[in-house]
Amino acid sequence: MFDITLIAMGKLKEKFYLSAAEEYTKRLKGYCSFNLLELPEYRLPENPSPAEIAAGLDKEAELIFSKIPKGAWFCVLTPEGKLQSSEALAATLEQVKLSGRSSACFLIGSSFGMAPQVKARA
């Protein structure tokens, strides 16, 4: 069975997000194995400098890289990314499967985004 991992930096706190995540997990069970990993955001001071933000994102990058399943196709979800329809995403995942990969990993970054090396790996 195809494995999908969603890495989210930070915890889902709001009840409606938790309910939505549970519903989607239930719906996906017939099509794939789904795993949601909520990783802690790096703690920053109240008004962090750009250097502190960059250092925090680098620390998060180390943690993210350790959690990406070996051999998985990797995709980051960013505001500047390309919007895809459900059909286009399904076609992309089908191509991933046909290429011989058995897993895909998606990443939702922290409130300050993600380190450039994480985007470069996707």
Side-chain angles (χ1 to χ4, degrees):
M1 181 173 276
F2 194 70
D3 296 322
I4 294 181
T5 301
L6 174 61
I7 299 173
M9 296 307 298
K11 288 264 186 207
L12 291 176
K13 297 175 187 138
E14 291 81 5
K15 197 176 243 181
F16 58 92
Y17 286 139
L18 290 168
S19 296
E22 288 172 12
E23 179 64 25
Y24 279 106
T25 299
K26 185 170 67 175
R27 290 181 185 195
L28 287 171
K29 281 187 181 182
Y31 304 99
C32 66
S33 169
F34 179 75
N35 186 27
L36 171 63
L37 294 176
E38 296 173 309
L39 303 179
E41 287 185 281
Y42 186 78
R43 291 215 181 264
L44 292 170
E46 192 59 35
N47 290 309
S49 70
E52 290 170 322
I53 292 170
L57 293 177
D58 286 343
K59 291 286 186 189
E60 288 179 359
E62 291 174 22
L63 181 58
I64 290 164
F65 289 148
S66 74
K67 299 297 182 182
I68 299 171
K70 188 172 186 147
W73 175 77
F74 183 54
C75 178
V76 295
L77 305 173
T78 63
E80 67 271 10
K82 187 176 108 182
L83 184 63
Q84 282 194 333
S85 68
S86 295
E87 295 84 4
L89 177 59
T92 298
L93 290 175
E94 184 65 26
Q95 288 302 312
V96 169
K97 288 167 50 175
L98 291 174
S99 74
R101 293 184 189 237
S102 61
S103 62
C105 181
F106 295 88
L107 170 67
I108 300 171
S110 66
S111 54
F112 286 101
M114 59 190 73
Q117 64 267 32
V118 173
K119 290 180 184 179
R121 181 159 173 189

